Amino acid sequence: MLDQPAIYLAAILALGIFAQWLAWRLHVPSIVLLLIGGFLCRFVAGSPDQIIPSNLLFPLVSLSVGIILFEGGLTLRFRDIRDTHGVALRLVTIGLLVSWAMGAFAAEYVLGLSVKMAILVGAMLTVSGPTVIVPLVRQVRLKRRIGSIVKWEGIVNDPIGAVLAALVFNGFFQQTGVATPEGWLRELGMTALVGGVLGGASAWIIILILRRYLIPDYLQSPAILATVVVVFALSNYLQPEAGLVTVTLLGIVLANQRSVTMKHVIQFKENLSVLLISTLFIVLAASIDISFRQFTAMGWPMVAFLTWMIVVVRPLAVLAATLGSVLNWRERMLLAWVHPRGIVAAAVASLLAFELAESTFAKEAEEFVLVTFVTVVVTVLVYGLTLPAVARCLMLSSPNPQGILFAGASPLVLEIAKLLQEEGVSVVAVDTNHANTAAARMAGIPVQFASIGSEFIREEMDLSEIGRLLAMTPNDEVNTLAAREFAEQFGQAEVYQLAAAEPDHQRRDRAPAYHRGRTLFRRDATYQMLAERHAAGAVVKKTQLSGNFTLKSFLEHHGPNAVVLFLLDSAGKVVVKTTDDVATTKAYPKVIALVDPLPLETSGVAAS
């Protein structure tokens, strides 16, 4: 057992980040590895209660959950569900009530819990999990419409479900509780009032301060974080569990206003949320005192309960919420197969169980925590491991999108895009030149007349099939800005731009390397060079390679002027040729390159 708190806490943070990285490498939900890490921590080092007292641990957990929900609210934009807002609303009302009723029924008659505890378990398990949903949506790359609905439900459900569980807890298990419809409605109204007033007022104050530049840039993110923590704690002081509603509404209001930018705040909160999630799951899993005997005592009833929740309850809740909606049957089936529980269920259950354990309901507290944590683990495993395959079968995802977004629609870009289309690669071009966009439409290339840095491209276009950016405009500054903008969405490894024309020794106008995308093709492949070559008669050519006619043979055949653009493997994956890769050392069956026309007598060699 470790007796050094600093070492213990440092180990938790390191283990959490390692679990996040390993989950990314293995393409599995990170919560699974984080929970395993927590159980290992308890086995090796004992409960974190020995390091952080419970009277301090659970308030820290509560505040962390509030920050996570605020960050989730910042990602919710009304325009994402412009056509499906009714579905999202019914999922968090009708669907939630169906889940509560059927979950409570199973908890009583399948698990054998008391009526009060069954109702509490049913309420607690209505929540989903933004800490699981958001990474899943990002990993699976769901289509825009269904992905937005899943994200909205996952984030909005959490404060509603947590408040519902708190109302049931206060009504049934607190000495001052009043378990009557009138009492619950009064408490619910107070929660909505406190959350709405404090959430709206704090959002208005933040917008006003930022719009009038009353806080320097370096203090904006910390000041907003402090505001979130304060209003969360104040809301909970005025009304139990109202803080979750307050911070979620605060995030949604800030995400949908147009007066000030929240981009830097979102980036800060995303990084903070990753750290909090990485440590919270481990700490909570390590704090749960569940023996193997307790786990096995549930036996087959627990298996039946989980099967009921996954196979019966969720599909019926989705059916009730989507009757008469615009969703097609494939989207409804996907919704019926995604409802993992996450950090809010685990955290709120731990908080309520701690209060139960201090009262006369110690046995019920053990059952409550056991059922909640087993449900969290199993639903994350089931949905997290199967959702990618289900989404692919329903044709609602692009888990490894090969599509390319072209900044610029010059004649060369259109010729490249046409060849990639023939290989089954999705392409989209964006340009502000009317002649270029008209030529793209004539060639059958999807194109948008817009600036590559516009909000329309980032927020309105469906880029679920697109996985990388090629910035090929004549303006190097535009290319650099596009690369910086889309590095967040596609990752730095998947944003590319043409080489800049070398400035003379007196110029200082070239952006630093860390702001630029990966350099396309080769170091001398500037826009001017490629455009001049193409105008002089060079063509974009797709060539079949083989063991006898390798890439090296191709380059020798076409001479030093040949510019390799893309390499295609046998599975259809497109590798973009850059100046920093080693693609030429591998064997590929196809190459796309810009080459000069060959003399008539040799032009047919190896050409497709």
Side-chain angles (χ1 to χ4, degrees):
M1 181 178 297
L2 294 178
D3 56 359
Q4 295 294 326
I7 295 177
Y8 186 85
L9 296 175
I12 287 177
L13 179 59
L15 182 60
I17 298 302
F18 175 75
Q20 293 272 9
W21 174 82
L22 188 61
W24 170 74
R25 292 289 297 177
L26 300 178
H27 301 287
V28 298
S30 59
I31 184 177
V32 177
L33 299 182
L34 291 171
L35 289 173
I36 293 174
F39 296 142
L40 289 176
C41 278
R42 178 163 186 92
F43 177 76
V44 173
S47 171
D49 186 57
Q50 300 171 4
I51 307 295
I52 308 175
S54 297
N55 60 350
L56 180 61
L57 172 64
F58 289 109
L60 288 175
V61 170
S62 179
L63 288 174
S64 300
V65 170
I67 294 171
I68 292 170
L69 279 181
F70 170 70
E71 190 272 330
L74 282 174
T75 66
L76 299 180
R77 296 178 176 85
F78 291 122
R79 58 176 171 267
D80 292 339
I81 55 169
R82 185 180 299 126
D83 301 324
T84 56
H85 61 276
V87 176
L89 178 61
R90 290 196 293 271
L91 281 170
V92 299
T93 52
I94 297 173
L96 184 142
L97 291 175
V98 171
S99 298
W100 181 22
M102 299 187 69
F105 171 83
E108 180 182 359
Y109 291 100
V110 177
L111 294 178
L113 302 181
S114 65
V115 175
K116 293 180 179 180
M117 183 54 64
I119 295 175
L120 179 60
V121 167
M124 189 72 266
L125 296 183
T126 59
V127 304
S128 45
T131 54
V132 186
I133 288 291
V134 174
L136 267 180
V137 171
R138 183 167 54 242
Q139 174 187 339
V140 178
R141 292 293 295 266
L142 293 175
K143 297 289 186 181
R144 188 181 187 90
R145 182 166 79 170
I146 189 63
S148 297
I149 295 174
V150 170
K151 187 168 67 172
W152 265 86
E153 183 199 10
I155 295 172
V156 175
N157 242 3
D158 270 1
I160 297 176
V163 169
L164 184 63
L167 291 177
V168 174
F169 176 80
N170 292 334
F172 285 148
F173 296 98
Q174 296 285 73
Q175 292 181 355
T176 58
V178 181
T180 64
E182 295 82 4
W184 280 345
L185 287 175
R186 182 173 59 254
E187 293 294 309
L188 187 61
M190 282 298 299
T191 301
L193 178 63
V194 171
V197 170
L198 289 182
S202 54
W204 178 78
I205 293 172
I206 289 173
I207 294 169
L208 181 64
I209 290 175
L210 295 183
R211 192 167 56 194
R212 295 188 177 182
Y213 307 102
L214 299 178
I215 297 180
D217 290 357
Y218 75 94
L219 278 181
Q220 288 181 4
S221 294
I224 292 175
L225 174 62
T227 303
V228 170
V229 172
V230 169
V231 298
F232 177 81
L234 180 59
S235 298
N236 281 345
Y237 175 77
L238 297 175
Q239 179 66 24
E241 303 306 325
L244 297 177
V245 178
T246 301
V247 295
T248 304
L249 287 175
L250 172 58
I252 293 174
V253 173
L254 292 179
N256 289 278
Q257 54 80 35
R258 299 297 182 91
S259 301
V260 294
T261 179
M262 286 287 119
K263 186 175 181 180
H264 60 302
V265 178
I266 293 174
Q267 291 174 342
F268 173 73
K269 293 299 187 293
E270 283 178 347
N271 294 333
L272 183 59
S273 292
V274 170
L275 289 174
L276 291 175
I277 292 168
S278 300
T279 54
L280 276 182
F281 272 115
I282 293 178
V283 169
L284 288 175
S287 66
I288 301 304
D289 187 13
I290 299 176
S291 66
F292 183 75
R293 178 189 58 78
Q294 290 173 309
F295 182 78
T296 55
M298 304 297 289
W300 288 109
M302 177 62 80
V303 175
F305 173 77
L306 294 170
T307 304
W308 171 267
M309 296 296 293
I310 294 172
V311 178
V312 179
V313 175
R314 178 59 179 176
L316 287 180
V318 170
L319 177 64
T322 58
L323 283 175
S325 71
V326 297
L327 300 186
N328 57 47
W329 67 271
R330 292 184 290 112
E331 292 170 324
R332 295 183 189 186
M333 287 190 66
L334 184 78
L335 275 178
W337 195 253
V338 54
H339 196 220
R341 281 67 172 183
I343 188 67
V344 173
V348 175
S350 298
L351 293 170
L352 297 183
F354 177 72
E355 295 187 36
L356 284 172
E358 297 295 316
S359 64
T360 58
F361 301 97
K363 185 177 185 300
E364 286 84 351
E366 293 180 359
E367 295 174 338
F368 178 52
V369 171
L370 177 62
V371 172
T372 302
F373 266 80
V374 171
T375 304
V376 168
V377 174
V378 171
T379 55
V380 167
L381 280 172
V382 170
Y383 293 125
L385 298 178
T386 61
L387 185 62
V390 171
R392 284 196 301 271
C393 291
L394 295 173
M395 296 180 290
L396 292 174
S397 75
S398 302
N400 186 24
Q402 294 292 300
I404 295 176
L405 172 65
F406 286 97
S410 65
L412 175 62
V413 168
L414 298 185
E415 194 171 342
I416 293 173
K418 196 67 178 175
L419 273 181
L420 291 173
Q421 272 190 329
E422 293 174 3
E423 292 297 318
V425 179
S426 298
V427 295
V428 178
V430 177
D431 206 318
T432 55
N433 185 299
H434 284 287
N436 286 348
T437 55
R441 293 188 181 96
M442 292 292 292
I445 306 296
V447 66
Q448 289 288 346
F449 178 79
S451 168
I452 189 63
S454 67
E455 187 176 12
F456 170 80
I457 300 300
R458 299 192 310 271
E459 306 294 345
E460 301 294 334
M461 284 185 62
D462 185 0
L463 299 178
S464 58
E465 299 287 339
I466 305 299
R468 47 196 137 181
L469 167 81
L470 269 62
M472 299 180 65
T473 75
N475 190 319
D476 185 62
E477 291 182 359
V478 171
N479 292 339
T480 300
L481 289 173
R484 290 183 63 185
E485 188 68 37
F486 284 90
E488 299 175 18
Q489 183 166 352
F490 299 143
Q492 291 183 343
E494 298 297 349
V495 291
Y496 311 82
Q497 70 180 96
L498 292 174
E502 277 299 321
D504 60 54
H505 67 282
Q506 294 181 340
R507 296 179 63 179
R508 300 284 191 273
D509 60 351
R510 185 171 178 179
Y514 56 83
H515 283 165
R516 302 174 61 83
R518 300 172 67 184
T519 303
L520 281 169
F521 314 140
R522 67 188 201 190
R523 298 192 185 280
D524 63 340
T526 64
Y527 178 88
Q528 183 178 0
M529 184 273 272
L530 294 174
E532 289 176 353
R533 289 274 310 279
H534 190 249
V539 296
V540 180
K541 183 178 182 181
K542 178 177 62 180
T543 302
Q544 196 79 28
L545 303 177
S546 65
N548 297 324
F549 191 77
T550 63
L551 180 59
K552 182 178 179 181
S553 305
F554 171 85
L555 293 173
E556 292 174 351
H557 182 68
H558 285 281
N561 286 336
V563 180
V564 176
L565 307 177
F566 305 95
L567 295 161
L568 290 79
D569 64 15
S570 56
K573 181 179 180 180
V574 178
V575 177
V576 182
K577 182 68 177 68
T578 66
T579 60
D580 60 354
D581 63 21
V582 291
T584 54
T585 64
K586 302 177 183 179
Y588 289 90
K590 291 180 184 178
V591 60
I592 296 177
L594 179 70
V595 298
D596 293 326
L598 293 174
L600 182 62
E601 64 270 21
T602 62
S603 61
V605 178
S608 62

